[in-house]
């Protein structure tokens, strides 16, 4: 408008008034526009642009905390509303089961009845957390740092071997030893898998087909239940253990056999546990059809990276074979990473441990020297198995639910750590051990249910280590049942501050140091101090407490 007035006044010959209007307009413009106007020949004032850019960045940094806080508050409200709606749905469903005409006495009686646990784990399509985090350059840099550390381990080993031997030694004798007798391992696994495919499925089908027309349903169910338990204990339990011990399989080969044994036992239990209630419900409803899963559904479940059976799972549309190759390559890289950790950090530390008398000072030094390799092994087990291995099989099977773990590293309590470290095993323990215990004995026995879950988990972990190492040394069982239970109640979910995350990590580091130190000392003690005609108590007594020989 000021320009149009100026034109009119020029036509009228009033140039003085136009200049006054232009000056007033210039004064009303922002300082930044005036600086651009003062630039000669249309050139931009670079210093001003940089200054203005820095001002905008400073303003954005000031607004960032308030923005993130606002987003966090809205997200919290959204999640809380979802939980509230879920609770309303549960209450409305229970209210529909008991209409308003029921008396208060009947409602109270109905609430005290124990209903079987239903509506278990819900599978949904979601990515693994590390896959999402690796899209952030800062997190990806941490991954690159671990790769750089692997390169340092390789260079260190090659240089030391070159100095000692005068040549490059590229042998992997340790890997060849620990994964020895692979044909025996493969045959054992094949027998276990075929037996798990045939026996549990056919037992369930025969029981389900004749249950409706049977006049002795309880006896029939007990008979098939005993047969299934015998298969679990003798077939999958005793058989692989006997093979691992009688053929003297090396440690890694034993791990493959025993871990597959435990996995197939848990999967067979889940299949029966999920399908038996469906048959009982169909008979109770007098349905004309018996819900029996197809053998293809059972086979898919045996390979799927989950321990909870469902007839169908969410599936991805395509298989990314490049992703599969990358994950298997990362598993192989993690295997060599563990090899160099043992070669550079563990074997030099424990190889001559039998020369030293077992004492408190040596034990303390051994534990603290074992923390670094212990923590690295922990990270490698998590990354190689829970992330790479499970994601590779999930991708090949187009299995869409990739939540095999959660952000356990952010845990401020051991209760949350146990829930988020290994979601696959935790789901099985929660639905088939914890919830079934509460359903059978009542909800007032929550502490007993938690204790039973801890006992089962600790016993299975110790069983795996005892068979794989070839000796009984219940260090892990003691840590689980004593410190694990104590920390589970002390470091509970009410601890939210960052100091509790520091305490959790400190205790986790010390625990890894204790495990690596004591089991390694016992392994070398049994290698260097064999006993002639050992008794049963000699197998139970730790050899590292008394082994002392001069090499």
């Amino acid at each position: 408008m000021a320009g149009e007035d100026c034109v009119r006044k020029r036509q009228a010959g009033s140039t003085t008034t136009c200049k006054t209007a232009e000056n007033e307009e210039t004064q009303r413009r922002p300082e930044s526009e005036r600086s651009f106007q003062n630039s000669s020949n249309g050139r931009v004032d670079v210093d001003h642009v940089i200054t203005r850019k820095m001002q905008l960045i400073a303003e954005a940094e000031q607004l960032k905390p308030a923005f993130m806080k606002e987003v966090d508050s809205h997200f919290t409200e959204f999640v809380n509303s979802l939980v509230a709606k879920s609770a309303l749905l549960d209450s409305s469903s229970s209210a529909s089961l008991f209409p308003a005409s029921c008396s208060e006495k009947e409602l109270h009686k109905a609430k005290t009845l124990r209903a079987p646990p239903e509506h278990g784990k819900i599978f949904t399509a979601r990515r693994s957390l590390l896959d999402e985090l690796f899209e952030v350059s800062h997190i990806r840099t941490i991954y690159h740092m671990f790769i750089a550390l692997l390169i340092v381990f390789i260079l260190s080993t090659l240089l030391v071997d070159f100095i000692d031997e005068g040549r490059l030694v590229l042998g992997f004798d340790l890997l060849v030893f620990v994964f020895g007798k692979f044909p025996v391992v493969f045959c054992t696994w094949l027998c276990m898998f075929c037996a798990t495919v045939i026996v549990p499925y056919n037992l369930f089908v025969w029981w389900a087909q004749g249950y409706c027309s049977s006049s002795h349903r309880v006896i029939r169910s007990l008979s098939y239940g005993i047969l299934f338990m015998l298969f679990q204990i003798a077939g999958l339990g005793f058989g692989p253990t006997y093979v691992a011990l009688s053929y003297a399989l090396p440690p890694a080969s034993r791990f493959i056999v025993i871990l597959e044994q435990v996995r197939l036992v848990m999967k067979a239990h889940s299949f029966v546990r999920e399908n038996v209630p469906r048959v009982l419900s169909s008979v109770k409803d007098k349905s004309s059809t018996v819900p029996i899963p197809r053998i293809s559904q059972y086979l898919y479940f045996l390979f799927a990276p989950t321990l909870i059976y469902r007839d169908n799972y969410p599936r991805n549309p395509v298989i990314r074979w490049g992703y599969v190759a990358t994950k298997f390559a990362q598993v192989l890289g993690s295997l060599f990473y563990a090899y160099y950790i043992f070669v550079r950090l563990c074997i030099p530390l424990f190889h001559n441990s039998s020369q030293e008398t077992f004492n408190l000072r040596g034990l303390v030094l051994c534990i603290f020297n074992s923390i670094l390799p212990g923590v690295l092994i922990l990270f490698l087990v998590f990354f190689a198995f829970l992330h790479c291995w499970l994601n590779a099989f999930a991708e090949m099977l187009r299995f869409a639910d990739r939540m095999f773990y959660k952000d356990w590293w952010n845990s401020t309590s051991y209760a949350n750590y146990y829930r988020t470290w290994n979601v696959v095993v935790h789901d099985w323990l929660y639905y088939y051990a914890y919830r079934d215990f509460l359903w059978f004995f009542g909800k007032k026995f929550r502490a007993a249910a938690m204790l039973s879950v801890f006992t089962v988990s600790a016993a299975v972990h110790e069983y795996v280590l005892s068979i794989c190492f070839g000796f009984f040394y219940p260090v892990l069982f003691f840590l689980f049942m004593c410190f694990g239970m104590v920390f589970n109640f002390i470091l509970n979910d009410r601890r939210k501050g960052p100091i509790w995350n520091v305490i959790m990590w400190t205790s986790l580091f010390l625990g890894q140091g204790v495990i690596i130190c004591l089991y390694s000392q016992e392994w070398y003690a049994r290698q260097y101090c064999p006993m002639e005609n050992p008794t049963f108590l000699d197998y139970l007594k730790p050899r590292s407490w008394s082994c002392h020989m001069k090499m």
Side-chain angles (χ1 to χ4, degrees):
M1 296 299 294
E4 295 177 358
D5 295 337
C6 180
V7 172
R8 296 190 188 99
K9 290 177 181 179
R10 278 179 179 175
Q11 294 174 353
S14 181
T15 57
T16 304
T17 308
C18 177
K19 292 180 181 180
T20 303
E22 288 180 355
N23 291 334
E24 293 177 355
E25 181 68 20
T26 303
Q27 293 296 327
R28 286 197 299 268
R29 291 178 181 176
E31 183 180 353
S32 59
E33 294 184 8
R34 277 182 284 156
S35 63
F36 283 113
Q37 184 183 16
N38 293 333
S39 301
S40 60
N41 298 326
R43 295 173 58 188
V44 179
D45 189 348
V46 178
D47 293 337
H48 173 76
V49 171
I50 295 175
T51 303
R52 186 57 181 166
K53 183 177 180 180
M54 297 301 296
Q55 291 177 354
L56 292 175
I57 293 175
E59 293 176 1
E61 289 293 333
Q62 292 177 357
L63 291 175
K64 186 191 295 183
F67 175 76
M68 296 302 297
K69 186 176 181 181
E70 189 72 17
V71 171
D72 183 67
S73 63
H74 283 296
F75 181 74
T76 304
E77 292 176 0
F78 174 72
V79 173
N80 291 336
S81 66
L82 286 180
V83 174
K85 291 178 182 178
S86 176
L88 288 175
L89 288 175
D90 291 340
S91 61
S92 63
S93 61
S94 60
S96 63
L97 293 174
F98 307 106
S101 59
C102 294
S103 61
E104 293 182 1
K105 184 177 180 180
E106 291 175 342
L107 286 174
H108 177 73
K109 182 179 179 180
K111 289 180 180 180
T112 57
L113 293 176
R114 297 195 299 269
E118 297 176 354
H119 310 294
K121 179 179 175 65
I122 298 176
F123 292 88
T124 182
R126 47 194 164 185
R127 300 172 63 193
S128 288
L129 186 55
L130 282 186
D131 282 339
E132 296 179 347
L133 291 178
F134 282 154
E135 294 180 355
V136 181
S137 59
H138 305 291
I139 305 299
R140 196 162 55 248
T141 300
I142 299 176
Y143 172 70
H144 296 161
M145 292 166 60
F146 276 92
I147 296 178
L149 185 59
L150 172 60
I151 296 174
V152 169
F153 277 131
I154 296 174
L155 291 176
S156 172
T157 304
L158 294 178
L159 290 176
V160 170
D161 290 340
F162 182 78
I163 294 173
D164 293 340
E165 303 291 337
R167 59 186 179 86
L168 291 179
V169 180
L170 299 177
F172 297 97
D173 296 337
L174 181 61
L175 284 178
V176 174
F177 163 70
V178 296
F179 286 98
K181 301 182 179 180
F182 188 76
V184 178
V185 174
F186 178 75
C187 293
T188 305
W189 175 84
L190 188 62
C191 292
M192 284 193 299
F193 183 80
C194 293
T196 308
V197 172
I198 297 171
V199 177
Y201 183 80
N202 284 294
L203 284 177
F204 171 75
V205 171
W206 295 337
W207 169 81
Q209 289 176 345
Y211 180 79
C212 182
S213 59
S214 176
S215 57
H216 304 284
R217 294 178 178 176
V218 176
I219 297 177
R220 181 182 182 85
S221 299
L222 286 176
S223 300
Y224 278 93
I226 292 173
L227 290 175
F228 176 70
M229 291 179 63
L230 287 175
F231 168 75
Q232 293 277 76
I233 296 172
L236 285 181
F238 177 75
T241 304
Y242 174 78
V243 172
L245 296 177
S246 63
Y247 282 86
L249 297 179
S253 298
R254 290 189 183 188
F255 265 107
I256 295 173
V257 172
I258 300 303
L259 291 179
E260 276 297 289
Q261 173 199 49
V262 174
R263 183 183 74 92
L264 293 175
V265 166
M266 298 170 76
K267 280 184 175 285
H269 177 85
S270 175
F271 174 76
V272 173
R273 173 63 184 82
E274 293 291 339
N275 286 287
V276 166
R278 296 169 58 189
V279 174
L280 297 177
S281 178
S282 66
V283 172
K284 184 179 179 180
D285 297 338
K286 298 180 179 180
S287 177
S288 59
T289 59
V290 179
I292 298 178
R294 300 188 305 273
I295 186 65
S296 59
Q297 294 173 325
Y298 181 52
L299 277 173
Y300 182 88
F301 167 64
L302 290 180
F303 284 104
T306 179
L307 297 174
I308 307 296
Y309 175 80
R310 293 291 183 270
D311 287 341
N312 297 289
Y313 299 94
R315 307 282 292 274
N316 288 333
V318 295
I319 300 176
R320 299 171 296 170
W321 290 108
Y323 180 87
V324 174
T326 300
K327 293 306 167 188
F328 279 127
Q330 289 174 336
V331 171
L332 187 62
S334 299
L335 185 63
F336 282 98
Y337 209 139
Y339 164 79
Y340 284 108
I341 289 173
F342 278 106
V343 168
R344 302 309 306 162
L345 299 179
C346 292
I347 293 178
L349 178 63
F350 298 107
H351 186 266
N352 297 323
S353 61
S354 58
Q355 299 180 16
E356 303 174 359
T357 306
F358 187 85
N359 55 68
L360 182 60
R361 180 181 181 276
L363 178 63
V364 171
L365 290 177
C366 175
I367 290 175
F368 281 94
N369 289 333
S370 302
I371 288 178
L372 177 59
V375 172
L376 291 177
I377 293 297
L378 175 72
F379 290 157
L380 287 175
V381 170
F382 161 72
F383 180 74
F385 179 72
L386 291 177
H387 179 68
C388 298
W389 186 264
L390 295 183
N391 269 293
F393 273 87
E395 187 67 29
M396 289 189 294
L397 296 170
R398 297 192 292 116
F399 186 85
D401 194 340
R402 309 290 176 87
M403 195 182 71
F404 308 126
Y405 54 88
K406 298 180 183 177
D407 57 336
W408 57 270
W409 48 85
N410 290 327
S411 299
T412 56
S413 67
Y414 265 86
N416 186 67
Y417 170 74
Y418 292 141
R419 290 193 298 265
T420 55
W421 157 255
N422 188 343
V423 175
V424 179
V425 174
H426 170 267
D427 288 340
W428 193 94
L429 291 172
Y430 175 73
Y431 289 109
Y432 303 139
Y434 181 77
R435 282 182 56 172
D436 282 0
F437 187 97
L438 293 181
W439 169 72
F440 192 79
F441 292 101
K443 293 185 177 181
K444 58 183 178 180
F445 294 101
R446 293 184 182 273
M450 185 180 299
L451 179 62
S452 67
V453 171
F454 264 91
T455 304
V456 170
S457 180
V460 172
H461 279 79
E462 192 57 46
Y463 160 75
V464 171
L465 293 183
S466 298
I467 299 300
C468 296
F469 290 148
F471 55 81
F472 178 73
Y473 197 18
V475 175
L476 190 61
F477 185 85
F478 180 79
L479 292 177
F480 251 96
M481 295 305 297
C482 295
F483 292 98
M485 284 292 295
V486 170
F487 285 142
N488 185 63
F489 288 102
I490 295 178
L491 298 179
N492 51 44
D493 290 329
R494 288 176 294 181
R495 315 296 187 183
K496 296 297 184 182
I499 184 62
W500 298 106
N501 183 253
V502 174
I503 294 174
M504 195 275 296
W505 272 109
T506 304
S507 59
L508 197 62
F509 286 173
L510 291 174
Q512 291 301 119
V514 170
I515 291 172
I516 294 293
C517 172
L518 295 185
Y519 279 109
S520 298
Q521 284 187 343
E522 186 67 18
W523 169 268
Y524 278 103
R526 291 184 179 266
Q527 300 298 318
Y528 294 145
C529 299
M531 299 188 67
E532 297 181 0
N533 301 321
T535 63
F536 179 73
L537 291 178
D538 291 330
Y539 286 107
L540 300 180
K541 181 182 177 181
R543 196 78 51 86
S544 57
W545 294 4
S546 57
C547 177
H548 176 61
M549 64 177 295
K550 294 182 179 181
M551 300 299 294

